[in-house]
Amino acid sequence: MSCSRLLCDSSLAYDGWDEIGQWVSTDYLPQLAETGITHIAWVVARDWAASGALLDIIQNSTVPYISVFTEGLDAYDWLARQPLKPREPEQPMLPSMT
């Protein structure tokens, strides 16, 4: 799939992010960027402990660009205004020289 924007809704997440936080910020998010994700709208958890861990993950990430929200509709609206990843130009098919 050719995607450049991602909506990550963690509003119902609970504690437990401490164990995977390092992996998400140093491995997973850069992998998403390599696949073409340029913008993430991240709805943070309502649970205080999970929200703090998620914000640590986001603050320690350099790619892709992440904007934090408390409401899903606000995240969706922001994400819809972000630019789409430009498509690769199609290569013209050259005639065979055989």
Side-chain angles (χ1 to χ4, degrees):
M1 295 178 64
S2 177
C3 300
S4 61
R5 302 175 291 180
L6 176 69
L7 175 61
C8 182
D9 186 351
S10 297
S11 59
L12 299 179
Y14 287 95
D15 198 14
W17 284 87
D18 292 336
E19 293 84 28
I20 64 168
Q22 182 70 23
W23 174 80
V24 169
S25 62
T26 60
D27 293 329
Y28 183 64
L29 291 173
Q31 287 176 18
L32 286 177
E34 286 178 18
T35 67
I37 299 293
T38 59
H39 293 82
I40 296 177
W42 200 318
V43 182
V44 294
R46 293 182 184 127
D47 177 72
W48 184 82
S51 181
L54 290 169
L55 290 173
D56 284 344
I57 292 169
I58 294 166
Q59 288 175 346
N60 292 319
S61 303
T62 57
V63 290
Y65 181 83
I66 301 172
S67 191
V68 177
F69 299 88
T70 56
E71 297 295 327
L73 186 55
D74 294 335
Y76 178 85
D77 289 342
W78 175 83
L79 201 57
R81 293 190 308 269
Q82 302 314 304
L84 291 171
K85 179 175 95 174
R87 291 192 166 198
E88 300 283 327
E90 291 187 29
Q91 299 296 321
M93 296 217 25
L94 300 175
S96 170
M97 300 301 279
T98 57

